[in-house]
Amino acid sequence: GAVVSQHPSRVICKSGTSVKIECRSLDFQATTMFWYRQFPKQSLMLMATSNEGSKATYEQGVEKDKFLINHASLTLSTLTVTSAHPEDSSFYICSAYKAGGASTDTQYFGPGTRLTVL
Amino acid sequence: AQSVTQLDSQVPVFEEAPVELRCNYSSSVSVYLFWYVQYPNQGLQLLLKYLSGSTLVKGINGFEAEFNKSQTSFHLRKPSVHISDTAEYFCAVSGASGGYQKVTFGTGTKLQVIP
Protein backbone atom coordinates (compact mmCIF):
# COMPACT_ATOMS: atom_id res chain seq x y z
CA GLY A 1 0.00 0.00 0.00
CA ALA A 2 0.93 3.65 -0.21
CA VAL A 3 2.22 5.46 2.85
CA VAL A 4 1.68 9.09 3.75
CA SER A 5 3.38 10.67 6.73
CA GLN A 6 2.76 13.90 8.58
CA HIS A 7 5.08 15.84 10.79
CA PRO A 8 4.70 16.80 13.53
CA SER A 9 2.03 14.51 14.93
CA ARG A 10 1.28 16.95 17.72
CA VAL A 11 2.15 20.61 18.23
CA ILE A 12 1.34 23.13 20.93
CA CYS A 13 2.06 26.77 20.24
CA LYS A 14 1.36 30.21 21.59
CA SER A 15 -1.24 32.45 20.05
CA GLY A 16 0.25 34.62 17.29
CA THR A 17 2.93 32.20 16.20
CA SER A 18 3.05 30.32 12.91
CA VAL A 19 3.10 26.54 12.61
CA LYS A 20 4.20 24.47 9.64
CA ILE A 21 2.85 20.96 9.05
CA GLU A 22 4.49 18.64 6.53
CA CYS A 23 2.79 15.95 4.49
CA ARG A 24 4.93 13.44 2.62
CA SER A 25 4.09 10.59 0.29
CA LEU A 26 6.79 8.08 1.16
CA ASP A 27 6.63 5.54 -1.64
CA PHE A 28 4.82 7.23 -4.49
CA GLN A 29 4.65 10.53 -6.29
CA ALA A 30 1.61 12.63 -5.61
CA THR A 31 0.81 15.41 -8.04
CA THR A 32 -2.18 16.29 -5.88
CA MET A 33 -2.50 16.44 -2.14
CA PHE A 34 -5.43 17.50 -0.02
CA TRP A 35 -5.61 19.21 3.36
CA TYR A 36 -8.51 18.53 5.69
CA ARG A 37 -9.50 19.87 9.04
CA GLN A 38 -11.43 17.90 11.60
CA PHE A 39 -13.09 19.54 14.56
CA PRO A 40 -13.86 17.44 17.63
CA LYS A 41 -16.70 15.01 17.02
CA GLN A 42 -17.12 16.19 13.44
CA SER A 43 -16.27 14.95 10.01
CA LEU A 44 -13.39 15.97 7.80
CA MET A 45 -13.79 19.22 5.98
CA LEU A 46 -11.70 19.79 2.88
CA MET A 47 -9.67 22.97 3.21
CA ALA A 48 -7.69 23.01 0.00
CA THR A 49 -6.35 21.03 -2.90
CA SER A 50 -2.62 21.28 -3.42
CA ASN A 51 -1.14 20.70 -6.85
CA GLU A 52 2.58 20.28 -7.34
CA GLY A 53 4.13 23.36 -8.90
CA SER A 54 1.02 25.50 -8.85
CA LYS A 55 -1.13 27.46 -6.45
CA ALA A 56 -3.45 25.62 -4.14
CA THR A 57 -7.20 25.72 -4.64
CA TYR A 58 -9.00 26.70 -1.47
CA GLU A 59 -12.51 25.75 -0.49
CA GLN A 60 -15.05 28.44 0.15
CA GLY A 61 -14.61 30.05 3.53
CA VAL A 62 -10.98 29.03 3.98
CA GLU A 63 -8.61 31.97 4.30
CA LYS A 64 -5.73 31.46 1.91
CA ASP A 65 -3.56 34.03 3.69
CA LYS A 66 -4.09 32.25 6.96
CA PHE A 67 -3.47 28.73 5.73
CA LEU A 68 -0.50 28.83 3.37
CA ILE A 69 0.01 25.75 1.26
CA ASN A 70 3.15 24.89 -0.65
CA HIS A 71 3.54 21.80 -2.83
CA ALA A 72 7.11 22.17 -3.98
CA SER A 73 7.80 18.57 -4.92
CA LEU A 74 5.93 15.44 -5.90
CA THR A 75 6.31 14.01 -2.43
CA LEU A 76 5.92 17.00 -0.12
CA SER A 77 3.20 19.48 0.66
CA THR A 78 3.26 21.87 3.60
CA LEU A 79 0.50 23.70 5.42
CA THR A 80 1.49 26.76 7.42
CA VAL A 81 -1.00 28.15 9.88
CA THR A 82 0.01 31.78 10.17
CA SER A 83 -0.60 33.84 13.29
CA ALA A 84 -2.40 30.96 14.91
CA HIS A 85 -5.21 31.59 17.38
CA PRO A 86 -7.02 29.25 19.75
CA GLU A 87 -9.86 28.80 17.26
CA ASP A 88 -7.35 27.26 14.84
CA SER A 89 -6.84 24.38 17.26
CA SER A 90 -7.91 21.29 15.40
CA PHE A 91 -6.83 18.00 13.88
CA TYR A 92 -5.29 18.56 10.45
CA ILE A 93 -5.12 15.61 8.07
CA CYS A 94 -3.53 15.47 4.65
CA SER A 95 -4.07 12.99 1.89
CA ALA A 96 -2.15 12.24 -1.27
CA TYR A 97 -3.68 11.20 -4.53
CA LYS A 98 -2.09 8.22 -6.20
CA ALA A 99 -2.93 7.93 -9.88
CA GLY A 100 -2.87 4.42 -11.24
CA GLY A 101 -5.88 3.77 -13.37
CA ALA A 102 -9.54 3.53 -12.56
CA SER A 103 -9.18 0.65 -10.17
CA THR A 104 -6.52 2.21 -8.03
CA ASP A 105 -7.33 5.91 -8.02
CA THR A 106 -7.67 6.74 -4.42
CA GLN A 107 -6.42 9.00 -1.72
CA TYR A 108 -4.09 7.86 1.00
CA PHE A 109 -4.37 9.65 4.31
CA GLY A 110 -1.70 10.75 6.68
CA PRO A 111 -1.97 10.07 10.42
CA GLY A 112 -2.93 13.65 11.20
CA THR A 113 -1.48 16.54 13.21
CA ARG A 114 -3.09 17.72 16.41
CA LEU A 115 -2.62 21.50 16.72
CA THR A 116 -3.31 23.19 20.03
CA VAL A 117 -3.00 26.96 20.20
CA LEU A 118 -2.79 28.39 23.70
CA ALA B 1 -22.02 17.93 -6.10
CA GLN B 2 -22.27 14.94 -3.83
CA SER B 3 -23.42 14.50 -0.28
CA VAL B 4 -23.31 11.71 2.24
CA THR B 5 -25.67 10.99 5.12
CA GLN B 6 -24.79 8.75 8.01
CA LEU B 7 -27.96 8.55 10.01
CA ASP B 8 -26.51 7.03 13.16
CA SER B 9 -24.01 9.09 15.11
CA GLN B 10 -23.39 6.28 17.58
CA VAL B 11 -24.00 2.56 17.42
CA PRO B 12 -23.49 0.43 20.54
CA VAL B 13 -23.28 -3.30 19.95
CA PHE B 14 -22.27 -6.28 22.04
CA GLU B 15 -19.10 -8.16 21.22
CA GLU B 16 -19.61 -10.97 18.68
CA ALA B 17 -22.94 -9.52 17.55
CA PRO B 18 -23.49 -8.38 13.96
CA VAL B 19 -23.49 -4.70 13.07
CA GLU B 20 -24.66 -2.54 10.20
CA LEU B 21 -23.61 1.08 9.79
CA ARG B 22 -25.83 2.96 7.42
CA CYS B 23 -24.77 5.31 4.65
CA ASN B 24 -26.83 7.03 2.00
CA TYR B 25 -25.49 9.30 -0.67
CA SER B 26 -26.78 11.68 -3.30
CA SER B 27 -25.11 12.56 -6.58
CA SER B 28 -26.05 13.58 -10.07
CA VAL B 29 -23.12 11.62 -11.55
CA SER B 30 -21.61 8.19 -11.19
CA VAL B 31 -19.76 7.77 -7.92
CA TYR B 32 -17.06 5.93 -6.13
CA LEU B 33 -17.90 5.02 -2.53
CA PHE B 34 -15.62 4.46 0.41
CA TRP B 35 -15.64 3.49 4.05
CA TYR B 36 -12.84 4.67 6.30
CA VAL B 37 -12.10 3.88 9.93
CA GLN B 38 -10.51 6.31 12.36
CA TYR B 39 -9.09 5.21 15.68
CA PRO B 40 -8.66 7.87 18.41
CA ASN B 41 -6.11 10.53 17.51
CA GLN B 42 -5.20 8.81 14.29
CA GLY B 43 -5.74 9.44 10.60
CA LEU B 44 -8.08 7.56 8.36
CA GLN B 45 -7.60 4.02 7.16
CA LEU B 46 -9.41 2.74 4.11
CA LEU B 47 -11.68 -0.20 4.95
CA LEU B 48 -13.10 -0.80 1.50
CA LYS B 49 -14.18 0.94 -1.66
CA TYR B 50 -16.65 0.48 -4.47
CA LEU B 51 -15.47 1.61 -7.88
CA SER B 52 -17.39 -0.65 -10.26
CA GLY B 53 -18.35 -4.28 -10.80
CA SER B 54 -19.77 -6.45 -8.05
CA THR B 55 -22.01 -4.52 -5.71
CA LEU B 56 -20.81 -6.51 -2.70
CA VAL B 57 -17.42 -5.28 -1.63
CA LYS B 58 -15.25 -7.02 0.91
CA GLY B 59 -12.72 -5.07 2.90
CA ILE B 60 -10.22 -5.47 5.67
CA ASN B 61 -10.95 -6.69 9.19
CA GLY B 62 -13.95 -8.75 8.05
CA PHE B 63 -16.06 -5.79 6.93
CA GLU B 64 -18.15 -5.72 3.79
CA ALA B 65 -20.48 -3.24 2.15
CA GLU B 66 -23.15 -3.43 -0.50
CA PHE B 67 -23.72 -0.78 -3.11
CA ASN B 68 -27.42 -0.31 -3.85
CA LYS B 69 -27.89 2.13 -6.66
CA SER B 70 -31.69 2.22 -6.51
CA GLN B 71 -31.63 3.06 -2.81
CA THR B 72 -28.46 5.18 -3.10
CA SER B 73 -27.02 3.33 -0.15
CA PHE B 74 -23.69 1.81 0.79
CA HIS B 75 -24.21 0.20 4.19
CA LEU B 76 -21.27 -1.33 6.04
CA ARG B 77 -21.67 -4.69 7.76
CA LYS B 78 -19.74 -7.10 9.89
CA PRO B 79 -21.20 -10.44 11.05
CA SER B 80 -19.36 -10.51 14.38
CA VAL B 81 -17.65 -7.51 15.95
CA HIS B 82 -14.66 -7.43 18.25
CA ILE B 83 -13.66 -4.98 20.93
CA SER B 84 -10.91 -3.77 18.59
CA ASP B 85 -13.55 -2.59 16.12
CA THR B 86 -14.44 0.25 18.47
CA ALA B 87 -13.70 3.34 16.39
CA GLU B 88 -15.34 5.98 14.24
CA TYR B 89 -16.40 5.03 10.74
CA PHE B 90 -16.77 7.47 7.89
CA CYS B 91 -18.62 6.89 4.66
CA ALA B 92 -17.36 8.94 1.72
CA VAL B 93 -18.21 9.58 -1.91
CA SER B 94 -16.38 11.00 -4.89
CA GLY B 95 -17.20 11.50 -8.53
CA ALA B 96 -16.23 8.64 -10.81
CA SER B 97 -14.68 10.50 -13.70
CA GLY B 98 -11.02 10.33 -14.57
CA GLY B 99 -8.33 11.95 -12.50
CA TYR B 100 -8.63 12.97 -8.92
CA GLN B 101 -11.97 13.83 -7.47
CA LYS B 102 -12.81 15.61 -4.26
CA VAL B 103 -14.00 13.27 -1.58
CA THR B 104 -17.01 14.23 0.51
CA PHE B 105 -17.28 12.64 3.93
CA GLY B 106 -20.27 11.84 6.07
CA THR B 107 -20.43 12.96 9.66
CA GLY B 108 -19.23 9.64 10.97
CA THR B 109 -20.65 6.85 13.11
CA LYS B 110 -19.04 5.87 16.37
CA LEU B 111 -19.13 2.15 16.83
CA GLN B 112 -18.88 1.12 20.46
CA VAL B 113 -18.39 -2.57 21.05
CA ILE B 114 -19.54 -3.62 24.50
CA PRO B 115 -17.81 -6.58 26.15
Side-chain angles (χ1 to χ4, degrees):
Chain A
V3 180
V4 176
S5 70
Q6 277 185 244
H7 178 80
S9 58
R10 189 179 292 266
V11 58
I12 300 172
C13 69
K14 292 182 179 180
S15 184
T17 61
S18 294
V19 174
K20 180 185 283 189
I21 303 170
E22 292 185 348
C23 176
R24 292 181 186 273
S25 56
L26 298 184
D27 51 1
F28 67 99
Q29 293 184 328
T31 55
T32 304
M33 291 183 171
F34 302 88
W35 286 97
Y36 295 85
R37 183 173 180 176
Q38 186 180 30
F39 290 102
K41 301 181 182 181
Q42 294 188 30
S43 188
L44 281 74
M45 299 300 295
L46 180 65
M47 297 174 66
T49 301
S50 167
N51 293 295
E52 187 266 337
S54 64
K55 289 184 178 180
T57 303
Y58 291 82
E59 295 300 298
Q60 192 172 7
V62 177
E63 300 174 60
K64 59 181 69 175
D65 294 332
K66 174 112 179 125
F67 298 99
L68 300 179
I69 291 173
N70 184 284
H71 193 159
S73 77
L74 288 171
T75 58
L76 173 65
S77 176
T78 60
L79 168 68
T80 301
V81 183
T82 62
S83 186
H85 288 97
E87 58 266 29
D88 299 323
S89 297
S90 191
F91 195 50
Y92 292 88
I93 302 177
C94 74
S95 70
Y97 168 70
K98 181 178 181 182
S103 64
T104 58
D105 287 359
T106 192
Q107 293 182 38
Y108 294 89
F109 286 83
T113 296
R114 173 76 59 194
L115 171 63
T116 302
V117 184
L118 302 177
Chain B
Q2 297 95 29
S3 67
V4 179
T5 302
Q6 290 181 251
L7 292 170
D8 305 305
S9 60
Q10 292 191 54
V11 173
V13 62
F14 286 104
E15 193 174 15
E16 296 184 7
V19 70
E20 178 180 84
L21 305 184
R22 296 181 294 168
C23 172
N24 288 88
Y25 70 93
S26 70
S27 176
S28 57
V29 298
S30 296
V31 296
Y32 294 154
L33 292 156
F34 309 85
W35 274 100
Y36 289 89
V37 59
Q38 185 180 34
Y39 298 100
N41 294 312
Q42 293 187 30
L44 274 69
Q45 180 181 6
L46 181 66
L47 272 180
L48 49 79
K49 60 185 175 184
Y50 170 79
L51 302 180
S52 64
S54 173
T55 56
L56 182 63
V57 181
K58 293 191 183 296
I60 62 171
N61 301 341
F63 284 94
E64 63 180 32
E66 186 155 19
F67 171 56
N68 188 317
K69 189 174 182 179
S70 62
Q71 296 187 8
T72 60
S73 67
F74 191 55
H75 301 330
L76 180 70
R77 302 185 185 97
K78 186 169 182 178
S80 176
V81 295
H82 301 124
I83 294 289
S84 59
D85 293 323
T86 296
E88 188 149 23
Y89 293 80
F90 291 95
C91 182
V93 63
S94 76
S97 33
Y100 76 86
Q101 295 287 323
K102 281 195 271 189
V103 178
T104 301
F105 288 86
T107 50
T109 298
K110 281 195 174 176
L111 174 62
Q112 174 138 26
V113 180
I114 305 164

